[in-house]
């Protein structure tokens, strides 16, 4: 008996997986855009796309670890929440709960990553 899942078999599962990554990227972009608008940037869209080009912004990704305990517990907590919903529910309730909880968790994690990158940029620029 194995608990490992194979790669998705249907196109729908691949679209759902791709949609998760797109939702994360859109969340990061939106948070960077709104921060640039709050800071009074003349071109907030350009600033949002150039967010990760700043020196020191991706140092956590380069070292392969979490930048803060919030990121670590965010990922662990999200994993636990998804596993609990998947294990304790069945049928349509499982599908509905996962369609509600997964996007919320993905956006929350993108916000945590955005805050960590913003903190790294402000520390590198000071």
């Amino acid at each position: 008996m194995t608990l490992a899942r194979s790669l998705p078999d249907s196109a729908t599962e691949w679209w759902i997986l791709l949609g998760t990554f797109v939702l994360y990227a859109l969340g990061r972009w939106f948070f960077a855009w709104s921060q640039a608008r709050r800071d009074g940037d003349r071109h907030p869209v350009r600033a949002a796309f150039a967010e990760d080009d700043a020196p020191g912004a991706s140092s956590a990704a380069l070292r392969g670890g979490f930048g803060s305990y919030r990121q670590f517990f965010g990922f662990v907590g999200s994993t636990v929440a998804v596993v609990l919903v998947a294990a304790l529910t069945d049928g349509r309730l499982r599908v509905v709960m996962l369609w509600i909880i997964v996007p919320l968790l993905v956006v929350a994690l993108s916000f945590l990553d955005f805050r960590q990158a913003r903190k790294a940029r402000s520390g590198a620029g000071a």
Side-chain angles (χ1 to χ4, degrees):
M1 178 166 86
T2 180
L3 296 176
R5 280 191 47 119
S6 64
L7 290 173
D9 293 330
S10 70
T12 303
E13 292 174 354
W14 279 108
W15 281 111
I16 290 170
L17 185 63
L18 180 64
T20 304
F21 290 116
V22 168
L23 181 62
Y24 175 84
L26 286 175
R28 281 289 301 266
W29 179 82
F30 174 77
F31 293 130
W33 173 78
S34 64
Q35 180 67 37
R37 283 194 63 205
R38 270 187 255 124
D39 292 345
D41 197 327
R42 291 180 57 184
H43 302 286
V45 174
R46 286 186 206 158
F49 282 121
E51 175 197 26
D52 290 329
D53 294 339
S58 61
S59 62
L62 290 176
R63 69 175 185 263
F66 293 100
S68 72
Y69 69 92
R70 288 185 184 106
Q71 283 181 315
F72 175 73
F73 286 117
F75 277 93
V76 170
S78 297
T79 303
V80 168
V82 169
V83 167
L84 283 175
V85 167
L88 298 177
T89 60
D90 196 23
R92 289 184 182 183
L93 179 62
R94 176 186 291 170
V95 172
V96 169
M97 290 294 292
L98 288 176
W99 274 100
I100 291 171
I101 200 169
V102 169
L104 292 175
L105 292 174
V106 167
V107 170
L109 290 175
S110 70
F111 180 71
L112 286 174
D113 287 347
F114 162 74
R115 285 187 48 194
Q116 188 65 28
R118 182 178 64 183
K119 188 170 135 183
R121 274 192 315 278
S122 67

